Amino acid sequence: MNLFKHELRINQTQNMIKITNSIREDILKSGIKDGIVVVYCPHTTAGITINENADPDVVRDMIYGFEKAYPTIDKNYRHFEGNSHAHLKSSTVGPSQTLILDDGNLIMGIWQDVYFCEFDGPRNRTYYVKIIQG
């Protein structure tokens, strides 16, 4: 099986959760050594990104920056659910990332990790990992 489904329970309103290790576990389970790995989030108020893993303040600063660009509360938002900010943040980050798999290893920079980005929590979330040989 080359498609893996993961579920997260996120208790914060906004957060970025490292998911690189679960992706690496999926690669081991798949037995695929070379190809591409697609990580996909099927939610319109969350996303997937790659960013620095060394300093936790980077995550804090990213959430802060998104909040400055797309504030949670803005009297001009019209979406009845009240989460327009999360839709904007999700569209900016995007729903997926594609990674290169070489000899069983993800090609990533030393300071990089893959993150699930929550912008409208707390929620139960799902993301998928598809490993394609090639």
Side-chain angles (χ1 to χ4, degrees):
M1 179 171 154
N2 301 331
L3 177 65
F4 300 87
K5 179 180 179 180
H6 298 274
E7 297 187 10
L8 297 171
R9 172 68 188 148
I10 301 171
N11 296 318
Q12 299 88 354
T13 55
Q14 298 184 70
N15 198 4
M16 294 172 58
I17 298 107
K18 290 180 188 180
I19 58 172
T20 314
N21 286 341
S22 69
I23 296 166
R24 287 187 172 116
E25 290 172 13
D26 294 343
I27 292 166
L28 286 173
K29 290 176 190 173
S30 76
I32 294 174
K33 297 289 186 188
D34 296 290
I36 61 170
V37 177
V38 179
V39 184
Y40 174 72
C41 165
H43 305 289
T44 60
T45 58
I48 304 291
T49 195
I50 297 172
N51 216 299
E52 181 178 328
N53 62 17
D55 182 353
D57 283 336
V58 171
V59 166
R60 183 225 162 264
D61 291 348
M62 288 188 64
I63 292 169
Y64 171 77
F66 283 131
E67 187 63 23
K68 280 189 75 166
Y70 310 115
T72 299
I73 298 170
D74 185 315
K75 63 181 174 125
N76 293 309
Y77 291 150
R78 296 181 68 174
H79 181 45
F80 73 95
E81 289 182 4
N83 61 354
S84 291
H85 71 98
H87 290 283
L88 291 162
K89 293 166 186 169
S90 173
S91 288
T92 299
V93 168
S96 66
Q97 293 290 320
T98 303
L99 302 145
I100 299 169
L101 180 62
D102 182 57
D103 197 27
N105 298 303
L106 290 174
I107 296 180
M108 296 182 71
I110 191 168
W111 306 116
Q112 289 183 318
D113 262 312
V114 182
Y115 291 85
F116 184 96
C117 302
E118 175 60 63
F119 299 119
D120 194 30
R123 291 192 184 253
N124 293 323
R125 296 296 197 174
T126 302
Y127 69 93
Y128 294 88
V129 176
K130 177 71 175 176
I131 304 166
I132 304 166
Q133 189 166 351

